[in-house]
Amino acid sequence: MIRIVFFICFLIPTGIAEAQEKRVSFPDAGGYKVLVCDPHIHTVFSDGLVWPTLRVEEGIREGLDVVVITDHIEYQPHKEDIPNPNRNQGYELAKTFAKDHPILVIKGSEITRSMPPGHFNTLFLQDANTLQKDDPFEVLREASRQGAFIFWNHPSWPGKAEDGSVHLFDMHQQLLKEGLIHGIEVINGKNYYEGAVALALKYDLAMMGSSDVHGLTEWDYQISKGGHRPSTLILAKQKTEVSVKEALMERRTIAWYNSLLAGPEKYVSLLIQSIIKIRSAKYQGSEFMGEASVLSIVLENESDVEFILENVSHYSFQQSLETVVLPPHTSKTLFVKTLKKLKDVEIPFLVKNAVIGVNQHPTWVLKAAIN
Ligand SMILES: [Zn+2]
Ligand SMILES: [Zn+2]
């Protein structure tokens, strides 16, 4: 009898999505869905170490909404074992595998040239095979003809800048003039390029974050211990390929890794407002102070981002310093010394973990009616 029960257990299939809880999650922001996307991933169809279906499986397990497999067009180190004559093959395998799962797989490729111009990802391609041309201008023009969204990868590598600065060569100026660059990586793997933030704002480019993973995401980011991969948060009207493309073309993106958020002020502010919630604000009496003037405010962080909030108001706090840390998916009570009883309160904070320009942080104002 026991043997039969075991046998039956082995026969019950377990879906990937059902077997794992969603790991990363963000609430909607300003009417947009906040989609978590990794737009830069490698497989054995270039210099990665895994099969494309495993990339989709990792994405589902980590709670990603969108993945883009971007194997190098030109660099094919596994060619002897995997000849890869059809450069769309990796995408097709991944797309078929993803069919019954809530994850979008978008067709992409990485154009791989020495600097300048360096490496570029092309997304929403129709046919990756047509990108096998000598002249990088011709390759990017062809991608553009196919309606691709094009972004500049790890812009200070390959090159001499190890300090996060980004050098714009004449070739890049020309590509920008032709409208062939729509985004730029400000986060690639564990690297942050502040020079790319400045360029994104100057030339109206989408700020992108990606893993550029070649091995397992678990190896690089310890997902099983609560880590996550660097990603792009896309503010899209719907969770569809059309909406994702529209959002990228309209630059509605925020690059994200751990506590770092980098994006345009408008969208970063929308995101912060949707994430940090005020659960209550009331005065609490105490044995010693009677109807005291210490206001207790409960804040909740509804996201996977750790927030670092620096109080820039004239109020001070009773039980904490001026800088308040709100870990992911937690709530925290602030005890604000208002000195007199108020009916409502406004406390501005600098959000130190978010950047809206080089060394520039957005302000979030805690506004509460007191009950
Ligand atoms: Zn690259
Ligand atoms: Zn890459």
Side-chain angles (χ1 to χ4, degrees), residues 40 42 70 72 110 119 121 153-154 212 214:
H40 190 166
H42 294 279
T70 53
H72 301 284
E110 182 167 10
H119 297 192
N121 272 357
N153 300 342
H154 40 72
D212 198 359
H214 288 70

Side-chain angles (χ1 to χ4, degrees), residues 299-310:
L299 296 181
E300 190 170 343
N301 173 3
E302 292 191 333
S303 78
D304 288 275
V305 181
E306 178 177 82
F307 277 89
I308 301 162
L309 306 173
E310 187 184 299

Side-chain angles (χ1 to χ4, degrees), residues 226-243:
H228 77 93
R229 70 172 88 188
S231 315
T232 304
L233 304 179
I234 300 175
L235 279 65
K237 289 177 189 158
Q238 321 242 344
K239 187 175 171 177
T240 62
E241 191 167 326
V242 170
S243 264

Side-chain angles (χ1 to χ4, degrees), residues 139-151:
V139 176
L140 293 176
R141 282 176 196 138
E142 171 57 31
S144 180
R145 271 194 291 275
Q146 293 182 25
F149 172 82
I150 302 168
F151 65 91

Side-chain angles (χ1 to χ4, degrees), residues 79-90:
K79 202 161 58 184
E80 276 191 24
D81 296 315
I82 303 168
N84 197 22
N86 173 13
R87 295 291 199 272
N88 302 307
Q89 178 79 357

Side-chain angles (χ1 to χ4, degrees), residues 101-123:
H101 296 289
I103 190 164
L104 298 174
V105 178
I106 287 163
K107 188 186 280 189
S109 276
E110 182 167 10
I111 315 303
T112 313
R113 304 300 168 104
S114 54
M115 190 75 96
H119 297 192
F120 289 81
N121 272 357
T122 51
L123 276 51

Side-chain angles (χ1 to χ4, degrees), residues 240-260:
T240 62
E241 191 167 326
V242 170
S243 264
V244 168
K245 186 171 177 179
E246 179 198 65
L248 288 172
M249 288 301 192
E250 291 182 8
R251 316 320 192 217
R252 292 198 298 268
T253 64
I254 298 165
W256 168 51
Y257 183 49
N258 287 337
S259 56
L260 175 63

Side-chain angles (χ1 to χ4, degrees), residues 25-30 34 233 254 256 261 267-279 299-307 326-330 353 364:
S25 65
F26 288 84
D28 293 353
V34 178
L233 304 179
I254 298 165
W256 168 51
L261 294 166
Y267 299 123
V268 171
S269 295
L270 271 185
L271 187 75
I272 295 167
Q273 278 161 31
S274 73
I275 287 174
I276 305 176
K277 291 279 155 58
I278 298 151
R279 291 299 174 213
L299 296 181
E300 190 170 343
N301 173 3
E302 292 191 333
S303 78
D304 288 275
V305 181
E306 178 177 82
F307 277 89
L326 259 184
H329 298 288
T330 58
N353 59 294
W364 171 72

